[in-house]
Amino acid sequence: QVPLVQSGAELKKPGSSVKVSCKASGDTFSNYAISWVRQAPGQGLEWLGRIIPASGITNYPQKFKDRVIITADKSTSTIKMTLRSLNYDDTAVYYCTRGPEAMYTNNAPDFWGQGTLVTVSS
Amino acid sequence: DIQMTQSPSSLSASVGDRVTITCRASQSITNYLHWFHQRPGNAPKLLISAVSTLHSGVPSRFSGSGSGTDFTLTISSLQPDDLGTYYCQQTYGSWTFGQGTKLEIK
């Protein structure tokens, strides 16, 4: 089983919201934290926040705390990331990745979903 | 936020060469430092965690070293499959990544 499988590409207008899904399999939902990381075209990696699905605890960096909401649905083992007030700069590939539950840790995120392209265009 | 600075931003090397990439943190992150490899069009893959622990299935030609603020990724003998971009990442609280090092094969 692939630990994380993401939803398909999205095309959105500026000012709207997008919701990207990440389905966890095996023990991933119960034993890990799930983070979201994005990569704009030709650019580096940027962390958007995370959730511990077993408890619902979330953490967001200051830059995204007012625009990103991450939720987890135990009934479907699915984690969802909603990004609001989209602008052109939000065009990127969005990845979910599983990692350790602790925030301060020398354990690394060891698996990444396949990525979801979100395009913001009028 | 902790800033991560990688160097060089790009490099070109020949098969068999020894390659070194460095990563510097803006403050001490002890050993909360990891390395990823990304091929074009694919998701990043974990190479090394906690400075020097090779992830399962990663060839032994990859190694990592360092502590505190200065870290190094070394490929002892470059192979064609190693092309792509390499990123360092810190997990000392909010995650941040280096800007990447694009590796090309001559």
Side-chain angles (χ1 to χ4, degrees), chain A residues 35 37 39 43-47 50 60-62 95 97-100 103-110 112-115, chain B residues 1 31-34 36 38 41-46 48-50 55 87 89 91-100:
Chain A
S35 282
V37 176
Q39 186 171 39
Q43 302 300 308
L45 301 165
E46 186 173 36
W47 183 61
R50 67 172 217 151
Y60 303 102
Q62 188 71 22
Y95 295 102
T97 176
R98 75 176 189 183
M103 274 296 292
Y104 290 81
T105 177
N106 64 359
N107 291 320
D110 68 348
W112 297 56
Q114 82 275 21
Chain B
D1 287 355
N31 70 338
Y32 295 5
L33 186 283
H34 321 294
F36 295 86
Q38 185 178 36
N42 290 343
K45 288 188 176 181
L46 178 63
I48 290 173
S49 63
H55 187 56
Y87 293 95
Q89 180 210 20
T91 50
Y92 197 82
S94 291
W95 293 1
T96 51
F97 296 84
Q99 79 277 19

Side-chain angles (χ1 to χ4, degrees), chain A residues 20-102:
Chain A
V20 182
S21 298
C22 176
K23 184 170 177 59
S25 62
D27 68 348
T28 297
F29 193 87
S30 302
N31 295 337
Y32 293 86
I34 303 298
S35 282
W36 289 89
V37 176
R38 75 178 184 181
Q39 186 171 39
Q43 302 300 308
L45 301 165
E46 186 173 36
W47 183 61
L48 305 178
R50 67 172 217 151
I51 189 167
I52 300 173
S55 64
I57 293 173
T58 55
N59 303 96
Y60 303 102
Q62 188 71 22
K63 177 178 179 179
F64 291 107
K65 70 180 186 66
D66 293 330
R67 284 212 297 148
V68 171
I69 299 173
I70 300 172
T71 59
D73 183 341
K74 293 181 180 179
S75 66
T76 59
S77 298
T78 299
I79 299 90
K80 296 183 180 181
M81 186 280 300
T82 301
L83 180 61
R84 305 180 296 183
S85 302
L86 291 169
N87 58 60
Y88 299 111
D89 292 346
D90 293 317
T91 294
V93 175
Y94 289 75
Y95 295 102
C96 59
T97 176
R98 75 176 189 183
E101 291 191 359

